[in-house]
Amino acid sequence: MAALSSSLHLLHFNSQSSSSISSLLPDYLLFYPSQSSSFSSIFLQNTDISPLVPVVSTVKLSSRLKCLTQSTEAEEEDRLLSDSESLVSDGGDVREDVKAQQQQQQRIVTPNYSDSNSLGIREPVYEVVEVKPNGIVSTRKINRRQLLKSSGLRPRDVRSVDPSLFLTNSMPSLLIREDAILLNLGSLRAIAMQERVLIFDYNCKGGKAFIDTLLPRLNPRNNNGGPCMPFELEVVEAALLSRVQRLEQRLIAIEPRVQALLEVLPNRLTADVLEELRISKQTLVELGSRAGALRQMLLDLLEDPHEIRRICIMGRNCTLVRGNDNVECSVPLEKQVAEEEEEEIEMLLENYLQRCESCHGQAERLLDSAKEMEDSIAVNLRQ
């Protein structure tokens, strides 16, 4: 025992049993891993088999347990190893118990990554207004998983209409997918489908204006007996109409104010007049920017016939041929209707493009006049 280094742990157990078996057993030197050193030792002297079983199970002997002795003789080492194996076998399959305990601990510690709640992920819940083709309006809450499942969209599609990403998706967009159209027109964000439309941030000005424009269009009495457009096209036109009308109303409100300022200046240089001119310029810049962004979106959509045809075949048994984007339908009548709708959609988009162009051009002209007045005032103040 003198050969043991200071890094080894030595435990000495004295046998209290007087059975004849203990007299036949030799001393045991068992080594096991420890935290402070590479291995430690337990010295068992003249102990019988029965008290050794809990000791072995406590230290969790495995198949890698090594029994070493300080004797230099090979026969003594072999004898100790054989006795250690006999003790483990008499202990009631200790190795199997240890393995079972380890497997049980692994099942408890390992988290279930298939469950999103175990990862602490909070799924966003949207409060939306749902409008159906018959004009029924209801408010409901829907989480992202349900929204994606019901609309056939992907998570990256919802980013364009997600109200929480207002700063990152502020540019207007109209995205066409297989079963839905995503509308992002400033404060108006909606998902149009064949049987319903979901409106986000319905309490905003854009959402309220859209609902007020859409509901009268869904009333059959307002169609004058003419054929009705598909519901998703009604939604798209109502969204564009409400947005363009808001821009035109703001332009109508700001134009007389700017004209009045141009008549007063530069003869009347007061703080109130100059502050009014500054506010009017900011309003015109914002108005021109929004009208220009909407105009660019409509231009991009008109220059891409593939996207327009995707709107036409929505809800029909039709497909687009790759390469030439020709429409192929299982029913010839559906192909004829799709082609007619394509012309109507192009005329519809052209109409709102002209209105956006007119609004943008008038805002730019008023802004140029205000800037020229500022330059004239600056020249007079220098003199």
Side-chain angles (χ1 to χ4, degrees), residues 263-279:
E263 293 177 0
V264 172
L265 293 172
N267 298 325
R268 185 181 173 185
L269 295 177
T270 62
D272 295 338
V273 174
L274 294 177
E275 180 65 16
E276 183 70 19
L277 180 63
R278 185 186 66 83
I279 296 175

Side-chain angles (χ1 to χ4, degrees), residues 170-190:
S170 58
M171 295 299 294
S173 62
L174 196 151
L175 303 180
I176 296 95
R177 297 296 180 260
E178 185 176 356
D179 298 319
I181 300 176
L182 296 96
L183 296 166
N184 179 3
L185 302 179
S187 57
L188 169 61
R189 296 160 189 267

Side-chain angles (χ1 to χ4, degrees), residues 116-117 119-125:
S116 61
N117 294 329
L119 295 177
I121 299 176
R122 297 183 61 183
E123 191 171 3
V125 179

Side-chain angles (χ1 to χ4, degrees), residues 354-374:
Q354 293 178 3
R355 295 176 66 173
C356 284
E357 185 69 34
S358 175
C359 185
H360 178 264
Q362 184 65 15
E364 289 293 328
R365 285 190 293 269
L366 291 174
L367 182 60
D368 292 340
S369 300
K371 289 180 178 180
E372 290 178 359
M373 181 58 65
E374 275 190 344

Side-chain angles (χ1 to χ4, degrees), residues 91-121:
D93 295 332
V94 178
R95 296 187 185 91
E96 295 180 0
D97 294 341
V98 172
K99 291 181 180 180
Q101 292 178 1
Q102 291 177 353
Q103 293 176 359
Q104 184 177 3
Q105 291 177 357
Q106 291 177 357
R107 287 194 298 267
I108 295 174
V109 175
T110 304
N112 185 10
Y113 291 98
S114 61
D115 189 3
S116 61
N117 294 329
S118 63
L119 295 177
I121 299 176

Side-chain angles (χ1 to χ4, degrees), residues 5 19 26 29 37 51 69 79 89 161 187 198 233 249 267 299-300 304 308 310 313 332 341:
S5 63
S19 63
L29 186 62
S37 62
T69 181
R79 183 172 58 84
S89 62
V161 296
S187 57
L198 301 178
L233 293 183
Q249 290 172 0
N267 298 325
L299 279 174
D300 295 340
D304 190 356
I308 297 178
R310 289 182 65 183
I313 66 174
E341 284 187 1

